[in-house]
């Protein structure tokens, strides 16, 4: 990756003169079935651009509790951009139901200007919409891919380690969030013990919770190494783990 970055052909993106960025945008648009795509340096910037071009000051955005816009970007969206949030009920790990959305929109004379459906849903271990559920909220054109077998294996290994609690069936993509059910204040020591063994995870999602992410460069052997490391780190932190 570093070699590819160093050797990439570059140009002035302001004038659409960077062939590498143009190629990335064109390929992304093709994969997602869109007319065009725009490269931005961060996910937050992408979210806020999407909000700003589809709404105006004073408009409301309908979305699920614990959405990324609410938990991470609320000041930018509400204070700087002047938009408001309308929180919709969601009992399905952040996923909105088409019928519930329609009910809210039908009974509310002052309709929200934008419906935001987070996919994948970060704060619910990367829960993902099925294609039919996504279509029930809004028509979707794209090619869904399933990036979760190794993440599920990692979740299964964590579920076997005391004091962690996690439901492997909830893993929808490559995000794994587990929570220590006793002595959550020791989670920092656990993460340090794992880091010393070469495996990185984050304190994320509340007291005693950790987040681990799998990606294409983590193979099956890497998952098994992480599983062993987490078991050893838990034993060092909390004592006997099974």
């Amino acid at each position: 990756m570093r070699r590819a970055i160093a050797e990439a052909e570059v140009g002035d993106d302001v004038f659409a003169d960077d062939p590498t960025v143009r190629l990335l945008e064109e390929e992304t648009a093709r994969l997602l079935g869109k007319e065009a795509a725009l490269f931005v340096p961060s996910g937050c910037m992408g979210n806020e651009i999407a909000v700003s071009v589809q709404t105006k000051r004073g408009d409301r955005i309908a979305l699920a509790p614990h959405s990324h816009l609410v938990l991470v970007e609320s000041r930018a969206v509400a204070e700087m951009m002047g938009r408001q949030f309308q929180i919709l009920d969601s009992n399905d790990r952040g996923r909105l139901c088409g019928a519930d959305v329609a009910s809210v929109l039908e009974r509310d004379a002052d309709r929200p200007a934008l419906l935001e459906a987070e996919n994948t849903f970060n704060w619910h271990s990367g829960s993902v919409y099925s294609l039919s559920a996504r279509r029930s909220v809004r028509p979707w054109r794209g090619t869904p891919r399933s990036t979760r077998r190794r993440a599920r294996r990692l979740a299964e290994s964590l579920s076997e380690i005391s004091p962690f609690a996690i439901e492997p069936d909830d893993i929808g993509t490559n995000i794994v969030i587990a929570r220590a059910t006793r002595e959550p204040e020791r989670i920092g020591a656990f993460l340090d013990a794992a880091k010393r063994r070469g495996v990185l995870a984050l304190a994320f999602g509340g007291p005693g919770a950790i987040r681990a992410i799998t990606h294409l460069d983590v193979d099956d052997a890497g998952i098994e190494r992480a599983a062993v490391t987490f078991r050893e780190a838990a034993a060092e932190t909390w004592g006997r783990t099974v």
Side-chain angles (χ1 to χ4, degrees), residues 7-240:
E7 297 175 354
E9 187 177 358
V10 297
D12 192 328
D13 189 47
V14 172
F15 296 101
D17 191 35
D18 189 312
T20 303
V21 169
R22 288 206 317 271
L23 179 62
L24 174 64
E25 292 172 340
E26 291 165 3
E27 180 68 6
T28 302
R30 185 189 66 79
L31 285 172
L32 298 180
K34 302 296 183 180
E35 294 180 4
L38 176 67
F39 170 74
V40 293
S42 73
C44 288
M45 182 181 290
N47 287 345
E48 285 150 30
I49 289 174
V51 167
S52 65
V53 300
Q54 297 179 89
T55 61
K56 63 183 185 300
R57 183 169 291 275
D59 281 345
R60 285 185 297 141
I61 304 166
L63 70 180
H66 306 117
S67 294
H68 200 274
L69 284 179
V70 174
L71 294 185
V72 177
E73 303 168 68
S74 59
R75 295 194 68 179
V77 174
E79 295 185 18
M80 295 175 59
M81 299 168 60
R83 276 60 164 178
Q84 305 174 57
F85 293 130
Q86 179 176 354
I87 307 298
L88 304 181
D89 291 335
S90 172
N91 298 315
D92 188 24
R93 301 178 59 230
R95 291 171 290 212
L96 301 173
C97 168
D100 292 341
V101 171
S103 175
V104 169
L105 297 182
E106 288 169 2
R107 70 170 183 262
D108 194 337
D110 182 18
R111 294 165 62 92
L114 181 68
L115 172 66
E116 190 262 358
E118 188 169 328
N119 193 30
T120 62
F121 204 102
N122 195 11
W123 265 266
H124 284 287
S125 289
S127 60
V128 63
Y129 283 86
S130 66
L131 186 57
S132 60
R134 181 71 180 189
R135 284 172 172 162
S136 76
V137 176
R138 180 184 176 93
W140 171 257
R141 293 179 300 162
T143 307
R145 301 182 180 213
S146 60
T147 62
R148 68 172 187 171
R149 177 177 62 84
R150 288 174 177 142
R152 183 187 173 95
R153 169 64 192 123
L154 185 59
E156 288 172 347
S157 69
L158 279 165
S159 72
E160 297 168 355
I161 300 173
S162 175
F164 285 107
I166 185 172
E167 178 48 68
D169 288 341
D170 287 345
I171 303 303
T173 52
N174 66 331
I175 300 175
V176 178
I177 296 179
R179 187 180 305 276
T181 57
R182 62 181 172 86
E183 297 182 289
E185 69 277 4
R186 297 189 61 78
I187 202 68
F190 168 80
L191 293 172
D192 288 343
K195 183 177 180 179
R196 289 196 301 272
R197 292 168 170 84
V199 175
L200 300 179
L202 293 176
F204 184 96
I210 65 166
R211 185 182 74 170
I213 302 291
T214 61
H215 56 84
L216 61 86
D217 293 318
V218 180
D219 57 15
D220 290 336
I223 294 297
E224 295 309 316
R225 176 189 170 202
V228 170
T229 294
F230 285 154
R231 184 176 294 276
E232 292 175 350
E236 178 180 321
T237 305
W238 287 284
R240 190 168 182 266

